[in-house]
Amino acid sequence: MAPLTGLSLFLVAVGAIASPLQKRAIDGLNTRAVAAGKAYFGSATDNGELTDTAYAAGLNNTADFGQITPGNSMKWDSIEPSRGVFSYAKGDVIANLAKANGQKLRCHTLVWHSQLPSWVSNGNFDNATLIEIMTNHITNEVSHFKGQCYHWDVVNEALNEDGTFRESVFYKTVGPAYIPLAFAAAAAADPAAKLYYNDYNIESAGLKSTGAQNIVKLVQQYGAHIDGVGMQAHFIVGSTPSQAAQEANMKAFVDLGMEVAITELDIRATTPISDADVAKQVVDYGNTVRACKAVERCVGVTIWDWTDKYSWIPSVFSGQGSALPWDGDLKKKDAVYSAILSAWDSGTAPTTTPTRTSTAIATPTTTTVTKSPGCTATAAPKGTAMLWGQCGGMGWAGPTVCVCGATCKKYNDWYSQCV
């Protein structure tokens, strides 16, 4: 080996100094998740947001985000707006961005009751025709993105809050068999992709989680392929299931041979958020990430966009928001970010919760709260809505009385929830 020259010695010295700084620079939510044995920490995004250069720079930071989910550009109304006419331009933009960054792509979603073009939802097709339409849609879309999708959300939100099947056009026309048929079509089009069922309010034990477990069994009984279950985790500050509850629930799916993922995480609060709610939010985020870390087959966590600037929540839940680790000015919320970062390293909850220096006071909510009549500690009358379940809203035909201990809170004309 040749002796080191003066220049070589200088470069070695600079490298020794720079190395710790470089390691610090590449630390982030995804870096910690991968170090904890997970496949990724990621974010949803949407096409319109990518024209915001500051936003795009944050999304492209692979230290924080090792995975991207397209929020809308792979849904049926975007991909096949007219029968047999497929448009992949928007989906390709996000798929190509993930590829360029070396990020994994969670493809979302093939079969969902919402964001369907009217030709599907109002087509009045018979059983055989709708199966043909659904299979053709899945085959075309999965084939187009073949080899690019780490996961596919094959079927999305097929359940009511009590664990029964949602009366979508697919269920009403085909029956529950549409679910295994969808999985079979996806598996045939891309055998290498991991195939997921995805839903909300299945993050802790209850009727809806049991219903999701029954969907896994249904697909397996039909001999179709299913790899995992996505838990959306759209939570409310202070009402997020505990780490233990989330762990136990994940393990129930793992026991069926599934891997699991947290797919759409955000934790909303009344805005402007109070110091007390920030402290709760820190605990809630930490508990959720630690639950995934603790369950070996929980493969990763995705937040539903990374900044409040582009959160879906304020447009749906009036007076609610501040749900993500970055604020509307793209500034990192140090307490929340640090809670997620440290949760990948720790196995237990912190003994104290951080507080903010801000003196902002939460605006009192003006939403309507209806208490459950005739509530007893031991009774859950038939026809009651479960905790976190929908209990009202325009066109809602389900139960309007909550299970004992919960109240029906109106967020807007379209949605009330048992909290």
Side-chain angles (χ1 to χ4, degrees):
M1 180 177 175
L4 293 175
T5 65
L7 177 60
S8 299
L9 288 169
F10 173 76
L11 292 175
V12 169
V14 170
I17 295 170
S19 181
L21 297 176
Q22 289 168 345
K23 289 179 180 178
R24 181 178 178 184
I26 64 171
D27 194 17
L29 305 181
N30 181 61
T31 307
R32 294 283 184 99
V34 173
K38 304 305 173 183
Y40 60 81
F41 186 96
S43 174
T45 192
D46 225 333
N47 295 72
E49 301 160 15
L50 299 177
T51 61
D52 181 337
T53 55
Y55 167 87
L59 183 68
N60 293 342
N61 176 15
T62 56
D64 279 327
F65 307 119
Q67 171 268 320
I68 296 178
T69 301
N72 291 290
S73 60
M74 292 185 182
K75 291 173 179 172
W76 198 313
D77 59 351
S78 178
I79 294 294
E80 192 182 5
S82 301
R83 187 173 179 180
V85 178
F86 292 84
S87 176
Y88 293 109
K90 291 183 177 179
D92 283 342
V93 167
I94 295 177
N96 291 338
L97 176 65
K99 183 177 181 180
N101 289 337
Q103 294 164 313
K104 291 178 170 60
L105 182 69
R106 288 201 82 258
C107 294
H108 174 84
T109 177
L110 294 169
V111 181
W112 187 29
H113 69 276
S114 187
Q115 291 182 238
L116 284 173
S118 61
W119 72 266
V120 178
S121 54
N122 299 317
N124 296 314
F125 300 110
D126 62 21
N127 181 300
T129 305
L130 188 58
I131 290 173
E132 180 185 356
I133 287 168
M134 182 185 74
T135 302
N136 183 63
H137 175 82
I138 293 170
T139 301
N140 273 271
E141 183 168 4
V142 175
S143 296
H144 177 85
F145 292 108
K146 185 175 181 178
Q148 300 180 72
C149 301
Y150 186 66
H151 295 163
W152 259 114
D153 287 334
V154 178
V155 176
N156 196 51
E157 300 177 4
L159 296 171
N160 295 314
E161 295 306 312
D162 63 358
T164 59
F165 288 107
R166 186 191 296 271
E167 300 234 341
S168 67
V169 64
F170 303 104
Y171 179 78
K172 289 190 290 186
T173 306
V174 180
Y178 86 87
I179 298 175
L181 287 170
F183 276 89
D190 188 354
K194 295 288 187 76
L195 307 181
Y196 270 62
Y197 174 71
N198 191 56
D199 213 331
Y200 62 94
N201 290 347
I202 62 167
E203 300 84 7
S204 57
L207 293 177
K208 196 169 186 181
S209 178
T210 299
Q213 292 165 45
N214 289 337
I215 283 178
V216 172
K217 295 173 184 177
L218 174 69
V219 176
Q220 292 171 333
Q221 287 164 0
Y222 268 74
H225 187 77
I226 180 171
D227 294 285
V229 174
M231 301 171 183
Q232 292 183 13
H234 293 299
F235 291 141
I236 303 171
V237 163
S239 299
T240 299
S242 68
Q243 177 182 340
Q246 292 186 63
E247 280 185 41
N249 187 64
M250 289 178 187
K251 288 174 181 176
F253 289 96
V254 170
D255 287 345
L256 297 176
M258 295 296 97
E259 62 182 38
V260 295
I262 296 169
T263 56
E264 305 183 19
L265 175 64
D266 48 34
I267 306 178
R268 69 183 187 264
T270 299
T271 54
I273 190 168
S274 67
D275 288 341
D277 277 352
V278 169
K280 293 175 185 176
Q281 190 178 54
V282 164
V283 172
D284 291 344
Y285 263 109
N287 282 340
T288 300
V289 172
R290 274 188 297 272
C292 181
K293 184 193 174 187
V295 177
E296 183 179 358
R297 298 202 70 190
C298 180
V299 299
V301 174
T302 306
I303 49 178
W304 205 242
D305 226 316
W306 59 272
T307 164
D308 292 336
K309 184 175 184 178
Y310 296 114
S311 173
W312 67 287
I313 288 170
S315 64
V316 176
F317 299 101
S318 180
Q320 302 280 297
S322 197
L324 295 163
W326 282 261
D327 68 18
D329 294 322
L330 310 184
K331 293 179 180 177
K332 186 183 297 180
K333 302 174 186 175
D334 289 336
V336 176
Y337 185 93
S338 296
I340 300 171
L341 204 63
S342 62
W344 288 124
D345 296 329
S346 63
T348 57
T351 55
T352 60
T353 56
T355 58
R356 298 190 313 167
T357 56
S358 168
T359 56
I361 303 299
T363 302
T365 180
T366 57
T367 53
T368 302
V369 176
T370 305
K371 292 186 177 181
S372 303
C375 179
T376 67
T378 58
K382 185 177 181 181
T384 55
M386 301 303 293
L387 183 64
W388 318 126
Q390 186 171 356
C391 54
M394 194 172 294
W396 174 247
T400 57
V401 176
C402 295
V403 69
C404 183
T407 55
C408 187
K409 184 174 181 179
K410 179 181 176 181
Y411 289 100
N412 53 47
D413 290 341
W414 297 273
Y415 189 80
S416 297
Q417 183 181 38
C418 293
V419 295

